Amino acid sequence: MKIQSAPIQGYTNAFWRNTHEKMFGGVESYHTPFLRVEHGEVRRKDVRDISPDNNTVAHLVPQILGSSLDETREMLAVATDFGYKEVDINLGCPYPPVARKHKGCGLLADTDALKSLLDFLDTMRGSVSFSFKMRLGMESEEEGKAAIGLIDSFAPSQITIHARLGKQQYKGECDIDSFERIIAGVSSKIVYNGDILDCAGIDAIGERFKNIDTVMIGRALLSNPALAREYNGGAPLSPGEWLEFISSLFYYYSDTLQGDAHILAKMKPYWEYAPEFVDRKVLKLVKKSVSVAKYSAAVDAFAASIR
């Protein structure tokens, strides 16, 4: 099975991707957190994140989130100006403020808007290919079936499906049976996404779905950045590697952000996905840290525990 890295807002930025590929590898492609338009222009931080000057991974796929065709055109222009030949369309973001604006998985419930988007993308096909990341539907499986029928007819490079409804957000269990029903008869390449936690989980998808050879993994790569390497026959994650990886992120944010509060706001969420070998006492120290000095003391305590 091939492994792709899922886009996770606030986590899998360019530095994370570059460092992950350099330290661990095993990932076929990295998908960026989505670009969006705010105040009439593509967010500058999003532009910086996909700039080739800031990315060293071998295969990077920018993702865009748009509702209006004008917004989509503007984001595509940024991606193609940078030389990207493949762009992923986000039909999976489940957060209510996004979905209510008929963006992300909100588009799955609006067949007319989805048709208009596909018609527009079809006019751009000469310079770029398109893949799609979607859910089982926003409110129901029937929405997902209708949407994937339209997308399949478009002949995309791949369709990644997170096996939850949008209304679930990230709660509850993935519905593998619904996933199986939705992909029945679809001729496009299908990529499975959702709650793959370990190597056994990757193999389980391949065993059940013989026509699927690729999975997309998000949160599991945060908690076990060596998962793809391990699946491909490499060594499992060691405590020392985790310390090196999390420290690299800390040094990056310390150099690019100002003030303890901003740095800690970026670093603490990564520790929420810390591997099982990180002691709970260390996690409590990280969570309670109110300064970089206290955060560093917590990291030092973890370093001492693995010596």
Side-chain angles (χ1 to χ4, degrees):
M1 296 285 281
K2 300 172 185 175
I3 298 172
Q4 298 179 353
S5 173
I8 305 180
Q9 292 290 322
Y11 293 89
T12 60
N13 60 18
F15 184 82
W16 184 95
R17 299 188 299 265
N18 295 341
T19 306
H20 182 273
E21 183 170 75
K22 182 178 180 180
M23 286 188 64
F24 304 104
V27 170
E28 177 194 47
S29 62
Y30 293 82
H31 291 235
T32 74
F34 55 72
L35 283 75
R36 73 182 83 174
V37 172
E38 288 185 352
H39 309 299
E41 64 179 8
V42 181
R43 293 195 311 175
R44 293 180 183 179
K45 64 182 292 187
D46 297 343
V47 175
R48 289 194 299 271
D49 188 61
I50 72 165
S51 170
D53 291 340
N54 298 324
N55 288 277
T56 60
V57 298
H59 187 185
L60 185 64
V61 182
Q63 186 183 82
I64 67 174
L65 175 80
S67 55
S68 74
L69 300 186
D70 286 341
E71 285 185 0
T72 302
R73 181 182 294 107
E74 190 169 353
M75 288 181 285
L76 283 175
V78 171
T80 55
D81 285 349
F82 277 140
Y84 289 101
K85 301 299 183 183
E86 179 183 359
V87 173
D88 192 60
I89 307 299
N90 184 305
L91 302 178
C93 182
Y95 294 111
V98 171
R100 281 197 296 266
K101 296 178 181 177
H102 290 211
K103 299 181 180 182
C105 64
L107 265 175
L108 299 177
D110 190 339
T111 303
D112 290 339
L114 180 56
K115 286 180 179 177
S116 295
L117 174 63
L118 293 172
D119 288 342
F120 169 72
L121 295 177
D122 193 46
T123 67
M124 300 288 293
R125 248 198 243 261
S127 58
V128 63
S129 65
F130 297 99
S131 59
F132 295 80
K133 190 171 189 293
M134 60 179 285
R135 292 259 177 155
L136 300 174
M138 181 61 205
E139 298 285 341
S140 72
E141 178 183 318
E142 295 307 311
E143 294 171 345
K145 287 180 177 177
I148 201 170
L150 293 172
I151 297 168
D152 188 39
S153 298
F154 178 82
S157 57
Q158 70 178 42
I159 305 173
T160 303
I161 304 175
H162 181 99
R164 283 185 176 87
L165 292 170
K167 67 180 181 181
Q168 289 181 260
Q169 297 193 39
Y170 293 94
K171 300 176 183 177
E173 296 182 356
C174 287
D175 191 338
I176 306 299
D177 292 335
S178 177
F179 173 85
E180 185 170 28
R181 289 190 295 269
I182 281 178
I183 67 172
V186 173
S187 59
S188 301
K189 175 179 177 176
I190 297 294
V191 176
Y192 177 85
N193 172 238
D195 287 3
I196 292 177
L197 304 178
D198 50 29
C199 294
I202 300 171
D203 283 333
I205 295 299
E207 290 169 4
R208 177 161 178 175
F209 302 102
K210 302 301 183 184
N211 60 332
I212 292 181
D213 67 358
T214 307
V215 294
M216 183 177 283
I217 302 177
R219 289 173 289 175
L221 281 179
L222 295 179
S223 61
N224 180 7
L227 176 57
R229 180 186 70 189
E230 182 181 354
Y231 180 79
N232 285 289
L237 180 68
S238 70
E241 282 184 309
W242 166 254
L243 177 61
E244 181 183 354
F245 190 47
I246 203 73
S247 296
S248 296
L249 294 170
F250 173 73
Y251 297 140
Y252 168 75
Y253 285 121
S254 295
D255 287 341
T256 57
L257 298 176
Q258 293 185 343
D260 287 16
H262 287 158
I263 296 169
L264 295 179
K266 282 293 186 180
M267 289 307 305
K268 286 185 179 182
Y270 286 106
W271 285 85
E272 294 176 6
Y273 293 97
E276 292 182 357
F277 54 63
V278 179
D279 189 272
R280 290 185 178 181
K281 292 180 180 179
V282 171
L283 295 178
K284 287 183 178 179
L285 289 174
V286 170
K287 186 175 182 179
K288 291 181 178 180
S289 61
V290 293
S291 67
V292 164
K294 289 187 178 296
Y295 170 86
S296 297
V299 177
D300 289 343
F302 172 61
S305 73
I306 63 175
R307 292 195 183 108

